Amino acid sequence: MTDTRRRVKVYTLNEDRQWDDRGTGHVSSGYVERLKGMSLLVRAESDGSLLLESKINPNTAYQKQQDTLIVWSEAENYDLALSFQEKAGCDEIWEKICQVQGKDPSVDITQDLVDESEEERFDDMSSPGLELPSCELSRLEEIAELVASSLPSPLRREKLALALENEGYIKKLLELFHVCEDLENIEGLHHLYEIIKGIFLLNRTALFEVMFSEECIMDVIGCLEYDPALSQPRKHREFLTKTAKFKEVIPISDPELKQKIHQTYRVQYIQDMVLPTPSVFEENMLSTLHSFIFFNKVEIVGMLQEDEKFLTDLFAQLTDEATDEEKRQELVNFLKEFCAFSQTLQPQNRDAFFKTLSNMGILPALEVILGMDDTQVRSAATDIFSYLVEYNPSMVREFVMQEAQQNDDVSKKLTEQKITNKDILLINLIIEHMICDTDPELGGAVQLMGLLRTLVDPENMLATANKTEKTEFLGFFYKHCMHVLTAPLLANTTEDKPSKDDFQTAQLLALVLELLTFCVEHHTYHIKNYIINKDILRRVLVLMASKHAFLALCALRFKRKIIGLKDEFYNRYIMKSFLFEPVVKAFLNNGSRYNLMNSAIIEMFEFIRVEDIKSLTAHVVENYWKALEDVDYVQTFKGLKLRFEQQRERQDNPKLDSMRSILRNHRYRRDARTLEDEEEMWFNTDEDDMEDGEAVVSPSDKTKNDDDIMDPISKFMERKKLKESEEKEVLLKTNLSGRQSPSFKLSLSSGTKTTLSSQSPATNLPGSPGSPGSPGSPGSPGSIPKSTSQTAAITTKGGLVGLVDYPDDDEDDDEDDDKEDTLPLSKKAKFES
């Protein structure tokens, strides 16, 4: 709120007496040490740089103009102005200036002006009032100069406006206008143009009310025809009286309303067509003119809204079949303009406006109009419908659902009588007009697709305590309307390629796909059931064969949105129907061209790889690897193959997968101080197993051969070493799997006492309870060398647990391999489990 209130534009007056825009920023006031006083500071909103730093001097004359402008002279021939976005900000800074200068904030000028170059003007200001010259032909030039000289000064503008109001001067000037025209006094007409234009810039509502009155407005427009800059006068009055005709589609009985409509049209014409384009400050001076038009429109809407007879007649004639086409077009255009006027209303008034139209039956009327053949009428009706949807989509949804219920009831009765019900729902009419748009660029279809998207958007649907609008409306939409929307898609994809592939059809199908993609993202199970039951994705992917790249990309985007959900129902449907085939074909047909199609397809497969969607990874590799294995300019497909191989290995060796996950989780652990939950649980379980000297492994496990236990690991190691160089290259380039090198080393720290024991009579392992914990002889099965460069510390209760990987251990590979064989049998079995 504060930022908006203090938002300003900074202007400086250049040598040509034109205002230059120095930038937009936010103004504040504060003490500046360098300037030794309270100052005005403006910092740019773009980069925070200082646009203005001006000390508030006690003797500087500051002027407040038009409620949003503060003007002052910083030095000789250096004028500054701050133009505020909001009046509140201007008032706030004005009060600060007045406080510093010890002035009452109610004044518009803080000091008596002392510009010696304008002594005559200030003499006039010091006078109690402004005396206008007598309104005569001979003095028109003098009057024009007086008006022009008064515009720069707020005080003189005020005095001039009061003089014009009090003496009825405007009507006298307009009488002179008739005299000048009769005498063909072009010079006098040029002076009158300057005078009337200057009066507009005085920005006074009281003067506008006089000039825009029924008796004066045409003469005012006449004065503005004689612009001195034009060689020939304009013919505005001729246009307004002869060309622009007022069409009273429904008789307006209220003369005040009729006069207000005429007045508003003419003032709007003056603003848009007659007055020259205003400069920056002249635009501010015309703010009252904008307000005059705005409040006139509000008043017209209110008066029409209260005239029930008028609206009743309007809707009755709109829906009457006997109304001729020209008349109906005029009625629809009037209603369209009526709705456009409503946009000027305040929110509460707009609520009442649309509620009135709804009660009068605007939606049934639109349904009738949209069913007609007249293209212009339908276009205007579409614009009206867009006002309704944008304002209150819930109102439209409620109507179409009630309509569907009524149609169902009627259909049930007609079915019993063996009669067909041909009623068409409003929303289906909208879809049909979208599909049947004859515009080569499909401008109307794009507009209608936007309205449909708003109607099916759950974000603007209401929820009540008992039931939700989302559930009800989407249930209705998929039952009654979705088949109409997808009809052109299904009709065009019966073969392996689109049956019609012209540009207009491709554009239409792209619009349909855009809406379907939106539904996939927002409608969850409704659209899922529809896609799977109707086999929609397979039909959509037929469009991948289109010659129009934008349509093929729309089809691909639809599938990408489905895959992005990572929903196994969708995934099973895709795999069962082999729906990657059209994508792979399009990819291969695209060849090595580096374009959007190529990138989009690769991104889809990359998403599957990165997200590790296992079912789709396996499906793609098993069915399409031969077609994709030669693609080596990206590592995506090799990465998919690697993912697939890892999955298969885990399936073949679940025990190996368990051990690999433990090792992978701790590959980069550099100390044993912090424990992962999995590791801690593993060792805690180990300790529980060893309570009271109980053996870690059962007797049957102890009889197993060590080679049998470690065989899967050995095979895994050998298989991986064969591919080591190739895999390292792939991993370094793309980080495909995130797994670490499969080679690993495991040993026990010599500084750690173990409590592993076995009660087997045949074996008495070192480290059993009561033993000093010293290692056995180097050749004994339980011995562990002291000098190890890489250790995995294993302790009992209260000790540290972890696998610690140290660098520079390659030189001990052979030694460590031997150490693996010296692990206690109980620990080997534990790792295997």
Side-chain angles (χ1 to χ4, degrees):
M1 180 66 183
T2 303
D3 287 345
T4 306
R5 185 172 68 247
R6 294 192 175 187
R7 192 167 183 259
V8 295
K9 276 186 176 292
V10 179
Y11 293 93
T12 58
L13 198 65
N14 61 27
E15 294 178 354
D16 299 325
R17 307 301 292 172
Q18 300 293 323
W19 290 99
D20 293 333
D21 185 352
R22 295 301 184 186
T24 303
H26 295 89
V27 64
S28 61
S29 61
Y31 186 83
V32 176
E33 182 65 31
R34 183 175 62 82
L35 300 176
K36 304 296 184 184
M38 292 296 294
S39 304
L40 297 178
L41 305 171
V42 179
R43 294 197 175 274
E45 66 179 359
S46 57
D47 57 6
S49 60
L50 200 62
L51 294 179
L52 176 70
E53 186 180 60
S54 173
K55 181 181 177 181
I56 304 174
N57 290 309
N59 299 321
T60 298
Y62 291 87
Q63 300 177 47
K64 186 168 76 164
Q65 303 176 10
Q66 307 153 37
D67 292 333
T68 57
L69 200 64
I70 297 177
V71 182
W72 72 98
S73 294
E74 189 81 353
E76 188 175 354
N77 297 326
Y78 187 65
D79 290 355
L80 285 164
L82 293 180
S83 179
F84 289 77
Q85 182 172 329
E86 294 186 13
K87 178 180 182 297
C90 184
D91 291 343
E92 182 181 329
I93 297 299
W94 184 251
E95 287 178 9
K96 179 60 67 175
I97 292 170
C98 291
Q99 179 184 345
V100 172
Q101 294 196 343
K103 301 292 182 180
D104 185 347
S106 63
V107 301
D108 286 337
I109 302 175
T110 61
Q111 302 288 333
D112 293 332
L113 298 176
V114 292
D115 189 345
E116 296 178 358
S117 65
E118 299 184 358
E119 288 179 358
E120 294 180 4
R121 189 170 65 132
F122 298 129
D123 288 343
D124 289 339
M125 285 186 185
S126 60
S127 62
L130 189 65
E131 186 177 347
L132 293 169
S134 58
C135 195
E136 299 173 359
L137 280 177
S138 59
R139 307 195 70 176
L140 281 176
E141 184 176 1
E142 183 183 349
I143 298 168
E145 289 177 357
L146 175 63
V147 171
S149 65
S150 301
L151 290 176
S153 165
L155 182 60
R156 295 200 66 184
R157 275 207 315 274
E158 185 74 18
K159 291 181 178 181
L160 176 60
L162 289 172
L164 291 170
E165 288 176 41
N166 296 336
E167 299 180 21
Y169 209 78
I170 292 176
K171 290 186 178 180
K172 295 177 184 178
L173 288 170
L174 295 178
E175 290 173 4
L176 282 182
F177 167 71
H178 287 289
V179 174
C180 288
E181 274 207 319
D182 293 340
L183 297 174
E184 297 183 357
N185 184 346
I186 301 300
E187 185 180 356
L189 291 170
H190 286 170
H191 290 318
L192 283 166
Y193 170 88
E194 297 292 351
I195 293 167
I196 295 299
K197 178 190 170 188
I199 294 174
F200 268 96
L201 296 177
L202 292 177
N203 213 24
R204 296 281 289 197
T205 304
L207 297 179
F208 288 154
E209 288 174 353
V210 175
M211 290 195 294
F212 299 153
S213 64
E214 187 71 22
E215 58 178 315
C216 296
I217 189 167
M218 295 305 290
D219 290 339
V220 170
I221 293 171
C223 291
L224 294 172
E225 290 179 351
Y226 293 93
D227 186 348
L230 302 175
S231 56
Q232 293 292 327
R234 297 288 177 85
K235 297 182 178 180
H236 297 303
R237 286 172 295 173
E238 182 179 330
F239 173 82
L240 290 172
T241 54
K242 296 180 180 178
T243 307
K245 297 292 184 182
F246 176 63
K247 294 182 178 180
E248 200 171 353
V249 291
I250 301 289
I252 298 175
S253 55
D254 187 349
E256 184 183 353
L257 172 59
K258 193 181 294 187
Q259 189 274 331
K260 188 70 68 177
I261 292 171
H262 284 302
Q263 183 190 60
T264 305
Y265 176 79
R266 290 166 180 168
V267 176
Q268 185 89 55
Y269 182 82
I270 291 172
Q271 182 190 43
D272 296 339
M273 305 299 297
V274 180
L275 288 175
T277 304
S279 65
V280 173
F281 285 99
E282 285 179 342
E283 189 172 1
N284 288 335
M285 292 176 181
L286 291 172
S287 60
T288 304
L289 180 62
H290 301 318
S291 299
F292 188 94
I293 295 169
F294 174 82
F295 287 113
N296 262 21
K297 289 181 177 180
V298 172
E299 200 171 342
I300 290 169
V301 172
M303 294 169 77
L304 285 173
Q305 190 178 331
E306 292 168 5
D307 192 340
E308 291 188 7
K309 183 180 183 306
F310 179 86
L311 290 178
T312 303
D313 292 346
L314 173 66
F315 285 108
Q317 291 191 37
L318 268 175
T319 54
D320 189 354
E321 294 182 1
T323 305
D324 62 73
E325 289 186 7
E326 185 178 353
K327 177 72 170 178
R328 197 187 312 278
Q329 187 174 339
E330 291 175 354
L331 291 165
V332 173
N333 286 335
F334 170 81
L335 187 57
K336 174 184 171 181
E337 192 167 356
F338 191 34
C339 291
F341 269 34
S342 72
Q343 303 306 297
T344 63
L345 298 175
Q346 295 297 317
Q348 62 271 21
N349 295 334
R350 196 156 62 245
D351 286 344
F353 172 80
F354 281 110
K355 189 172 182 180
T356 300
L357 290 185
S358 179
N359 294 337
M360 298 301 296
I362 188 170
L363 284 167
L366 283 178
E367 191 169 14
V368 172
I369 299 166
L370 287 167
M372 296 178 178
D373 296 330
D374 191 321
T375 306
Q376 290 184 329
V377 170
R378 287 208 312 263
S379 176
T382 300
D383 290 337
I384 297 168
F385 185 68
S386 69
Y387 284 122
L388 296 171
V389 171
E390 289 167 10
Y391 171 69
N392 191 348
S394 291
M395 178 180 75
V396 179
R397 285 192 284 261
E398 183 180 359
F399 169 78
V400 295
M401 285 191 289
Q402 289 176 352
E403 182 187 31
Q405 183 60 47
Q406 292 169 0
N407 283 0
D408 286 347
D409 295 341
V410 172
S411 296
K412 197 176 295 182
K413 293 178 182 177
L414 293 176
T415 302
E416 295 170 358
Q417 303 172 22
K418 297 184 179 180
I419 302 173
T420 304
N421 179 22
K422 298 191 177 185
D423 286 343
I424 299 179
L425 300 172
L426 172 61
I427 196 166
N428 283 347
L429 273 174
I430 297 297
I431 295 173
E432 287 180 9
H433 288 320
M434 183 184 94
I435 293 171
C436 301
D437 188 6
T438 55
D439 178 11
E441 298 298 325
L442 295 185
V446 171
Q447 180 187 11
L448 292 171
M449 195 278 291
L451 297 178
L452 286 172
R453 180 170 174 155
T454 302
L455 287 174
V456 301
D457 187 355
E459 296 297 323
N460 60 47
M461 294 182 183
L462 304 175
T464 60
N466 300 325
K467 48 191 175 180
T468 63
E469 185 182 20
K470 176 180 177 181
T471 303
E472 290 185 349
F473 182 75
L474 293 184
F476 151 81
F477 183 79
Y478 281 88
K479 179 181 178 183
H480 293 93
C481 309
M482 184 57 91
H483 67 281
V484 182
L485 178 66
T486 56
L489 170 67
L490 298 176
N492 208 38
T493 54
T494 54
E495 306 296 334
D496 292 338
K497 60 182 181 179
S499 51
K500 286 182 66 179
D501 205 18
D502 59 280
F503 180 71
Q504 190 165 355
T505 303
Q507 273 192 309
L508 174 63
L509 293 178
L511 284 177
V512 172
L513 282 178
E514 185 178 341
L515 193 56
L516 288 176
T517 304
F518 178 83
C519 293
V520 167
E521 185 176 3
H522 292 89
H523 291 176
T524 59
Y525 65 90
H526 286 95
I527 188 68
K528 186 195 303 180
N529 291 339
Y530 189 82
I531 288 174
I532 294 175
N533 292 335
K534 301 292 184 182
D535 200 14
I536 295 296
L537 179 56
R538 183 177 65 82
R539 305 295 284 271
V540 167
L541 291 175
V542 170
L543 302 177
M544 293 286 292
S546 171
K547 65 182 180 183
H548 299 285
F550 70 88
L551 180 58
L553 286 166
C554 282
L556 185 64
R557 184 161 56 246
F558 179 72
K559 180 171 183 177
R560 174 64 176 81
K561 185 65 70 175
I562 289 175
I563 290 176
L565 298 176
K566 297 191 284 188
D567 186 314
E568 279 304 312
F569 284 100
Y570 277 131
N571 293 347
R572 284 196 291 271
Y573 162 59
I574 289 171
M575 293 184 294
K576 183 179 178 182
S577 301
F578 293 91
L579 295 181
F580 275 102
E581 185 173 331
V583 177
V584 173
K585 279 184 179 179
F587 181 69
L588 297 176
N589 291 337
N590 189 67
S592 59
R593 285 175 293 177
Y594 179 59
N595 53 18
L596 192 56
M597 178 65 71
N598 175 275
S599 298
I601 293 175
I602 289 174
E603 190 279 333
M604 177 188 291
F605 287 111
E606 182 70 8
F607 176 82
I608 294 171
R609 185 195 70 78
V610 170
E611 296 296 323
D612 196 14
I613 306 176
K614 295 178 174 56
S615 57
L616 295 184
T617 299
H619 176 75
V620 170
V621 174
E622 288 173 353
N623 294 281
Y624 307 106
W625 172 244
K626 288 186 178 179
L628 300 172
E629 64 179 337
D630 293 332
V631 180
D632 55 4
Y633 54 88
V634 290
Q635 299 301 320
T636 295
F637 301 107
K638 285 184 172 58
L640 277 174
K641 182 72 180 300
L642 187 59
R643 286 278 197 201
F644 173 69
E645 290 175 350
Q646 292 167 356
Q647 291 173 26
R648 192 165 57 182
E649 287 166 4
R650 282 194 289 267
Q651 291 169 358
D652 294 343
N653 302 289
K655 295 179 181 179
L656 179 62
D657 179 63
S658 173
M659 185 179 76
R660 226 171 33 208
S661 66
I662 294 172
L663 295 174
R664 183 167 60 248
N665 287 341
H666 300 284
R667 177 63 178 171
Y668 288 114
R669 185 180 299 282
R670 293 299 171 182
D671 63 66
R673 288 175 297 175
T674 56
L675 306 179
E676 295 288 347
D677 291 341
E678 285 184 357
E679 182 182 349
E680 193 169 78
M681 288 173 62
W682 187 83
F683 282 103
N684 287 342
T685 305
D686 188 289
E687 291 167 4
D688 294 337
D689 290 341
M690 294 185 293
E691 284 181 5
D692 300 325
E694 184 180 350
V696 174
V697 292
S698 65
S700 61
D701 286 338
K702 285 185 293 182
T703 60
K704 289 181 180 179
N705 189 307
D706 288 358
D707 294 335
D708 293 337
I709 293 173
M710 297 302 291
D711 186 60
I713 299 178
S714 302
K715 290 180 179 178
F716 168 76
M717 298 286 292
E718 291 172 4
R719 187 163 60 249
K720 287 300 176 186
K721 284 179 180 178
L722 291 175
K723 297 182 179 180
E724 187 173 3
S725 59
E726 178 185 353
E727 182 176 312
K728 279 184 179 179
E729 181 181 354
V730 172
L731 290 173
L732 286 173
K733 286 184 178 179
T734 62
N735 191 22
L736 287 174
S737 67
R739 297 178 57 210
Q740 309 307 319
S741 172
S743 60
F744 59 88
K745 303 171 184 63
L746 183 64
S747 62
L748 297 180
S749 170
S750 60
T752 303
K753 293 183 179 180
T754 62
T755 58
L756 303 178
S757 65
S758 171
Q759 295 178 356
S760 170
T763 308
N764 187 15
L765 294 178
S768 61
S771 73
S774 59
S777 62
S780 64
S783 67
I784 303 172
K786 288 184 178 181
S787 56
T788 57
S789 61
Q790 173 180 327
T791 64
I794 303 177
T795 68
T796 58
K797 297 174 184 177
L800 297 176
V801 181
L803 299 175
V804 186
D805 184 15
Y806 292 95
D808 304 322
D809 56 356
D810 292 341
E811 59 187 10
D812 297 323
D813 281 355
D814 297 332
E815 182 183 354
D816 289 329
D817 288 339
D818 293 333
K819 292 174 190 174
E820 285 182 14
D821 292 335
T822 66
L823 280 175
L825 180 62
S826 60
K827 181 54 65 180
K828 290 183 182 180
K830 189 66 182 179
F831 271 114
E832 182 186 7
S833 64

